[in-house]
Amino acid sequence: MSRLQTRFDELKQQNRAALVTFITAGDPDYATSLQILKGLPAAGADIIELGMPFTDPMADGPAIQLANIRALAAKQDLAKTLQMVREFRQDDQTTPIVLMGYFNPIHKMGVERFIAEAVEAGVDGLIVVDLPPEHNEDLCDPAQAAGIDFIRLTTPTTDDKRLPVVLNGSSGFVYYVSVAGVTGAGSATLEHVEEAVARLKRHTDLPVAIGFGIRTPEQAASVARLADGVVVGSALIDQIAAAKSGAEAVDGVLGLCNKLSAGVRAARQ
């Protein structure tokens, strides 16, 4: 059983949603980013999405675009991102880590090498936003054959005809992008989220995590009542952008994570 499946099963028994946190690897620098990564589980993160820095993150809004720029300026690359996962695994063998990003850096490294190193490092899942299901053989199929979950994004514009195609080959969980547009842009109404979760549940038995636009403990709690997971990214990245030092960035991200976790944990009580 994968770490993702184990974690969602544990949380289902506890009757609560997962807090899924996103940071960009190497933002603002390797050492600070690693400290944040290692601190997230104790701050309440149940699953961690780790962004693979890329020069053209077209699905992301300004906050994560700037995080990519900071990370690349600090010489972060895919090899260093995998090394971060290795270092994280020295102390934590249970928290699932999902690498999120774009296919170009993986293609550049070579799919076979990337999958082998990702398995060895302790990566649990992949979200590759620019690889549609029509290209499953390029990465999804070999990744899943090696034991790495491949997580799909679905959106408000994914209709009932397209949805089974998108979900084909999905594993781990389904990531529902609750607003059309880029990361960090607005947030959906709870009525919309509730309808979307119900529709997805008709098509899949996988857990459904909701992201895009969740910034506060109150918003996280509201979504946690409806979905299996709550994804927060831009709000955490903003803490790094506003920090005057590495220590301040660590404190800002982990402090907000604690508050979000408290909101998620109290949601169904």
Side-chain angles (χ1 to χ4, degrees):
M1 189 182 290
S2 71
R3 284 191 191 95
L4 280 166
Q5 190 177 345
T6 299
R7 181 54 49 96
F8 276 112
D9 285 351
E10 289 168 354
L11 296 177
K12 191 173 185 179
Q13 289 171 5
Q14 296 171 29
N15 189 35
R16 74 172 177 87
L19 174 60
V20 185
T21 57
F22 173 91
I23 60 168
T24 299
D27 176 31
D29 57 69
Y30 187 92
T32 305
S33 186
L34 181 61
Q35 195 175 346
I36 291 170
L37 179 65
K38 287 187 169 187
L40 281 168
D46 298 299
I47 295 165
I48 299 169
E49 290 179 4
L50 187 61
M52 300 177 281
F54 180 49
T55 51
D56 188 23
M58 57 196 171
D60 293 298
I64 294 175
Q65 285 184 16
L66 290 170
N68 277 264
I69 290 168
R70 290 191 297 268
L72 292 168
K75 304 290 191 257
Q76 185 76 12
D77 58 18
L78 188 50
K80 287 183 178 178
T81 300
L82 290 167
Q83 180 57 27
M84 284 182 71
V85 179
R86 285 187 198 97
E87 293 190 54
F88 176 85
R89 285 284 172 238
Q90 291 172 7
D91 307 309
D92 188 316
Q93 287 292 322
T94 58
T95 303
I97 289 190
V98 175
L99 294 185
M100 183 171 186
Y102 301 81
F103 185 53
N104 187 283
I106 296 170
H107 178 70
K108 184 180 175 186
M109 176 179 275
V111 169
E112 194 173 327
R113 177 188 163 195
F114 168 75
I115 291 172
E117 291 197 20
V119 169
E120 178 264 325
V123 171
D124 300 293
L126 296 174
I127 299 173
V128 181
V129 299
D130 55 348
L131 264 189
E134 287 78 9
H135 291 270
N136 274 356
E137 70 278 3
D138 292 341
L139 181 62
C140 173
D141 295 345
Q144 289 183 324
I148 296 176
D149 283 315
F150 203 87
I151 296 137
R152 294 283 183 202
L153 300 181
T154 62
T155 74
T157 58
T158 311
D159 61 23
D160 283 326
K161 184 179 178 183
R162 178 67 177 165
L163 196 53
V165 179
V166 172
L167 294 173
N168 178 39
S170 291
S171 59
F173 63 93
V174 177
Y175 186 156
Y176 180 68
V177 178
S178 59
V179 290
V182 294
T183 55
S187 56
T189 65
L190 290 177
E191 184 181 13
H192 166 85
V193 169
E194 189 170 17
E195 289 171 359
V197 170
R199 186 167 76 96
L200 286 167
K201 292 286 189 183
R202 290 197 292 272
H203 287 271
T204 182
D205 294 328
L206 291 171
V208 176
I210 307 285
F212 281 47
I214 299 165
R215 307 190 65 84
T216 67
E218 293 76 21
Q219 287 174 326
S222 296
V223 173
R225 293 186 190 101
L226 304 173
D228 303 302
V230 179
V231 187
V232 182
S234 294
L236 297 170
I237 300 292
D238 286 346
Q239 295 292 322
I240 297 172
K244 303 289 193 293
S245 67
E248 197 176 303
V250 173
D251 290 345
V253 172
L254 299 185
L256 178 55
C257 185
N258 264 306
K259 292 174 185 172
L260 292 163
S261 174
V264 168
R265 288 166 191 263
R268 299 184 194 173
Q269 290 182 359

